[in-house]
Structures are given as C-alpha cells and as structure tokens.
Amino acid sequence: MAKSRLFRSTLIVSSMTMLSRVLGLVRDVVLMGVFGAGGLMDAFLVAFKIPNFLRRLFAEGAFSQAFVPVLTEYKEQKTLNEIQLLISRVSGVLSLILLVLTVAVLALAPFVIQLFAPGFVGDPDKFTTATELLYLTFPYLFFISMTAFFGSILQSYGKFAPPAFAPVLLNISMIVGAWLIAPLLDKSIMALGYAVAVAGVLQLIIQLPDLYRKKLLVAPSVDFKHEGVRRILTLMLPAIFGVSVTQINLLLNTIFASKMMNGSVSWLYSAERLSELPLGLIGVAIGTVILPSLSASRAKADTVEFGKTLDWAMRLIILIGLPASVAMFVLSDVLMNALFVRGEFSQLDGQMSGLALQCMAGGILGFMLIKVFAPAFFAGQDTKTPVKIGIVSVFANMIFSVLFIGIFYLAKLPLHGGLALATTGASFVNAGLLYYFLHKRGIWHFGKHWYKMGAQFVIATLAMTVSLYVALPFYPTDGTAWAKIGILIGICILGATVYGVVLLATGFRPRQLKHG
C-alpha cells in the first residue's frame, strides 16, 4: 500500500470511527438517561455483551487477523477466479459455524446467562429479562460476523469507508429504539433487543454493493478441505484467544461485577465506552489499516517496509494514546458528570462510573499498543505467539482482579474499581510481552530516534496535565447540562492546545508523522 494511501486510509477509518464513537456516546447518554444504571440496564448489557464478545472473538478479532493475510497472499499470487473460490468457501464455512453456534446458544439461553452472569441467578426478574433479551440479541452475531468478513475483503482491496461506517447504523438503531420504541412496550428494555437485531441486518446490507462492483460477491459453498480454508482455520483457532484477550478480560470483569452491588455492570460499561473513544479513533483504525500493508510486506519479504510501517503506526499511537490516557484519568469524574448524569442516571452513578474510568484510563495506551503489536505477528501468519501471551494476560487479569478487589475492600472503596484497575494491568502485561518478542526476534524495536521523541511526548503530556488540573475548578458541577458540556469541551481544547504547543516547542514537527 502506497505511503500516501496508507495515511489516507487511516484518516478515512478514523473519521468514520469518530462518527461512530460520537454517536455511540450519544447512544449511551440516551440509554443511561432512559433506563438508568439499575437491574434492567444490567440485564441488557449482559445479553448484548455475549454476542458482542463473540463477534470480536470470531469476526473483528481472530477471523479477520487470520483471513486478511491469506487473502492478501492470494491477491499477490493468484487469479481472480481463485480469489472468488476462496471467498466462496470461506463464507460457506463461516456461515455454517455461525449458524450452528447461534442455534446452540438460543437453545441453551438460560444456561448461557447463568454462565456469563452468575450473580443474576439470585434475582429472578433480572435473570429472566436477560434471557429474553439474549433471544433477540444473539442472532446479531451471525449478521455482524458476516459484515466483518465482507469488510475484511473490502479493506484488503483498499476500500475502508463502508466497513468503518457500519457501526453508525447500530448506534442510530439503538437511539431510535430507546426514544421511540421503548415507550410503546410493556417491558421497555426489550426495545433495545429489537434495535440490535435490526442493526445487524442493515450493517450487512451496506457492504454488498461494493463487493458486487469488485466481482467479489459470490455464493457461499461449504468446503472444509479447501487449501485456503484449512490455512485460515489453522491460524484462527489459536488467534481466537490471542487477539481477543482484552475482550476476555472485560468479560471476566462482567462475571465478577454481576456478583457485586446493583449497577456495577452499568458503571463498568460506561467507563469502558468512554475509554474506547481514543482506542477506536486511533488504535482500531491503525490496526485495521496496517494489517493488509504488513501482510503484503511479508508476502514480498520486504522487511524494510514492514519495519517502517510499524514505526509509523507507533508514532501515531503514542502521540494520541499517552495524552488520552492521562486526560481520561484527570477528567474522569467531570466526563461522567457532564455526559451521563441526567434522567435515571444519578449523581452516585456518575461518581461510581468516574471511579471505574479513572482505574481504566491507564490501560488506554496499553490497549492501543496491542492493536499495533498483534498485527505484526498475524501478518507473518504467526498466531501461536500472541495466544501464549494472551494466556499469560488472562491469568494476570485474574490475579490482578483478586489482588485489587482485596485492596479496594480493605480500603473500603467500591469493588468494581478493582476490576477496572485489573484490566489496565493486564493490558500492559499483554502489550509488554508482545513487544518483548518482537524485539527478541528482530522483527521490530524502538530505534534511537525514539529517545528524543519519547521525551517530547512525555514533556508535552506533563504540560497538558498541569493545564487540566488548573482548569478543573472552573467546571460548574451544579450548572445546566449544556453549560457543563460547554465548559468540558473548553477544558479539553485547552489541554489539547497546550499539548500541541509544547510538543512543537520541544522540536517535534508534523513531518515526523509521515510514513517512512
């Protein structure tokens, strides 16, 4: 992928992702305002998290990381007919697996809820509602996974806009469900289940026109013996665990939180959503864009271009990830107060969510690093290393969870904060080990130019932190919603301006962000 095209693709994905994240934030504000952070919302979040977790596992995670390198190799070495045959066989096998999984989960829905949220068993209303919602939300897995499959094809051909725009439809659908459909139902929370189901179909449909124009929309056919299918499945099985460790850790948090005080699941969810704003804007976008480029470099045995692409991605990641982590920590309470405290979402809910965000904020940079380091292995069709690291990370998360919950208990602090902090710790264990093996194997490491650049990023972040603390007393805790949001935006602009000015003053220049 040409250098200018790589940057342009990142810009497209980032813009679409930003639109999706902003709408997602609006969606969460609406949901928390309409339904609050109580039992009903906890029930929906668990029922939605199950297919969402598996979607990231199978579709955006392991599957795409295994499929894109193989498809890229086919593009470089095979004919159009052979590529079409690969797509046909892979779509057939993937569809079959998803259908079998969907039928199995729907048949065992109560047991699945009990597995993912054991704390709900003692609350019959919450347990029943979560089970009913799972019947509506789980078929979403099939549609969104096929959406991700088609999106991976388009991304491999340099078409990034439709896949990046797809999540916008989910956010719009859920906002409409909460505002317009919920008041019409006896059990209002069920509107969100219907909204998720509709969104899955819409997200799939918008991928089809571009696939048709590129002659890549072919009928699915099941063939487990096809060479490409066997390679993808071989790569995918260990990658299911390796690339989705973050989701597994967050899911473990949900299981723990279901046993904590009412609202804990919702508080963690609110913090998780805000922490994903910078992650989605830069981390996911860059991880999505660089995988085809890295895969092409490996297919051509071009180690120089491979290293340049990784170095370029790291510059953008740290440029955004470091200040974003610190800013989320400093502004955690203010963010929750300005964005969520209204309607059924109380001041206490805002404080509890703020604590979770504060503990989760440090992990933003860790999560971003994973999004860059993991594709470096997958591009070389190495899924074993990330899976081994993933196993270590999951165990680290479990150990951290027990440790931090114990510390928070002794300190008489809300226990869900310990879970959020454990996620942060596990993310750095994961990212640190990925980098260790990249360096050890001579794939990539921080060069000497990073000493100066790293110091520039740190100095600018420290200056930004001081400016945020100076500005915080001007935030009107008792003001109107619009006044709060306006002052919050002003504080954020101030922090970003100080960061940019100090970065330039230390000698950093925008040309350093160019690829190469």
Side-chain angles (χ1 to χ4, degrees):
M1 187 179 291
K3 297 177 181 180
S4 60
R5 189 176 176 185
L6 192 64
F7 186 83
R8 186 169 64 250
S9 298
T10 303
L11 186 61
I12 291 172
V13 176
S14 295
S15 300
M16 293 295 180
T17 304
M18 174 56 90
L19 175 61
S20 173
R21 297 294 178 176
V22 170
L23 273 176
L25 182 59
V26 173
R27 176 195 79 188
D28 294 331
V29 169
V30 170
L31 297 191
M32 292 302 175
V34 172
F35 301 106
L40 285 178
M41 195 61 190
D42 282 359
F44 168 73
L45 292 176
V46 167
F48 184 46
K49 187 177 285 287
I50 294 170
N52 219 29
F53 163 72
L54 292 172
R55 181 255 303 184
R56 292 180 177 181
L57 217 61
F58 288 109
E60 295 176 356
F63 177 77
S64 62
Q65 300 285 17
F67 174 63
V68 170
V70 174
L71 178 61
T72 302
E73 185 178 306
Y74 266 62
K75 277 182 58 189
E76 296 288 337
Q77 303 173 4
K78 307 286 186 179
T79 65
L80 177 60
N81 286 337
E82 289 174 307
I83 294 172
Q84 291 172 333
L85 187 64
L86 172 70
I87 292 171
S88 171
R89 300 303 187 261
V90 173
S91 64
V93 170
L94 180 62
S95 297
L96 178 63
I97 293 173
L98 291 170
L99 285 172
V100 170
L101 180 61
T102 300
V103 171
V105 169
L106 293 181
L108 301 171
F111 299 101
V112 174
I113 293 296
Q114 187 173 348
L115 174 66
F116 282 83
F120 286 8
V121 176
D123 189 333
D125 289 339
K126 188 187 290 188
F127 183 83
T128 301
T129 300
T131 303
E132 292 172 349
L133 282 164
L134 186 62
Y135 288 125
L136 293 174
T137 60
F138 199 82
Y140 174 76
L141 173 65
F142 174 83
F143 293 104
I144 197 60
S145 295
M146 294 308 297
T147 297
F149 167 61
F150 291 144
S152 295
I153 298 172
L154 293 176
Q155 289 163 358
S156 295
Y157 280 80
K159 195 76 175 179
F160 291 92
F165 179 76
V168 172
L169 298 175
L170 173 66
N171 295 325
I172 293 173
S173 183
M174 292 179 71
I175 291 170
V176 171
W179 268 347
L180 302 181
I181 308 301
L184 305 177
L185 302 179
D186 292 333
K187 188 178 284 189
S188 59
I189 197 70
M190 301 303 291
L192 298 184
Y194 292 116
V196 169
V198 170
V201 177
L202 295 177
Q203 287 174 297
L204 178 61
I205 290 174
I206 69 165
Q207 311 287 323
L208 304 183
D210 281 298
L211 284 170
Y212 178 78
R213 283 191 287 268
K214 292 184 176 295
K215 299 181 180 180
L216 299 174
L217 185 60
V218 291
S221 177
V222 179
D223 181 5
F224 283 91
K225 295 181 179 180
H226 184 274
E227 181 269 343
V229 171
R230 285 190 285 108
R231 284 175 56 198
I232 290 167
L233 290 177
T234 301
L235 292 169
M236 180 179 172
L237 289 176
I240 284 177
F241 202 91
V243 76
S244 303
V245 167
T246 298
Q247 300 308 313
I248 293 172
N249 287 337
L250 291 173
L251 191 62
L252 288 174
N253 285 354
T254 301
I255 294 173
F256 282 123
S258 73
K259 291 181 172 293
M260 295 178 180
M261 63 187 298
N262 212 27
S264 294
V265 175
S266 298
W267 298 330
L268 284 169
Y269 171 81
S270 300
E272 193 181 311
R273 292 295 298 168
L274 275 181
S275 70
E276 286 180 349
L277 275 173
L279 176 63
L281 175 62
I282 295 297
V284 174
I286 290 180
T288 298
V289 168
I290 66 171
L291 180 57
S293 180
L294 292 175
S295 299
S297 296
R298 289 303 289 261
K300 298 174 184 176
D302 189 346
T303 56
V304 174
E305 183 63 21
F306 187 93
K308 287 182 178 180
T309 299
L310 269 181
D311 201 84
W312 168 80
M314 283 300 301
R315 292 196 293 273
L316 285 179
I317 286 292
I318 297 181
L319 173 75
I320 302 297
L322 181 60
S325 290
V326 175
M328 284 284 184
F329 178 87
V330 175
L331 301 176
S332 55
D333 287 335
V334 171
L335 283 165
M336 289 299 175
N337 182 274
L339 298 175
F340 289 105
V341 176
R342 59 177 55 80
E344 296 296 319
F345 198 86
S346 68
Q347 191 72 39
L348 175 63
D349 292 327
Q351 293 170 356
M352 293 295 189
S353 298
L355 172 64
L357 180 59
Q358 199 167 40
C359 294
M360 206 174 283
I364 292 173
L365 179 59
F367 295 145
M368 285 188 173
L369 293 174
I370 293 169
K371 293 295 182 181
V372 172
F373 292 153
F377 291 97
F378 295 124
Q381 301 184 24
D382 173 13
T383 56
K384 292 182 180 179
T385 300
V387 74
K388 291 175 183 177
I389 293 172
I391 293 172
V392 174
S393 178
V394 167
F395 277 106
N397 184 65
M398 295 174 68
I399 294 170
F400 287 150
S401 293
V402 173
L403 175 64
F404 292 140
I405 288 173
I407 292 173
F408 274 56
Y409 176 79
L410 293 175
K412 296 182 179 180
L413 295 170
L415 300 185
H416 69 284
L419 289 177
L421 196 56
T423 302
T424 293
S427 74
F428 280 106
V429 169
N430 193 357
L433 287 174
L434 286 171
Y435 175 71
Y436 171 78
F437 283 103
L438 284 174
H439 190 186
K440 182 179 179 181
R441 296 175 185 176
I443 299 173
W444 183 83
H445 66 276
F446 288 102
K448 292 182 179 179
H449 62 286
W450 274 98
Y451 291 115
K452 179 181 178 181
M453 199 182 307
Q456 291 169 330
F457 289 144
V458 169
I459 292 170
T461 300
L462 289 174
M464 177 204 71
T465 304
V466 172
S467 70
L468 292 178
Y469 275 117
V470 169
L472 270 179
F474 294 96
Y475 177 77
T477 54
D478 297 324
T480 65
W482 288 111
K484 291 179 180 180
I485 292 174
I487 297 297
L488 173 60
I489 291 173
I491 293 174
C492 292
I493 291 174
L494 172 65
T497 302
V498 170
Y499 178 74
V501 169
V502 174
L503 197 58
L504 291 173
T506 60
F508 184 87
R509 294 295 178 263
R511 64 175 176 272
Q512 293 175 246
L513 297 176
K514 291 182 179 180
H515 181 280

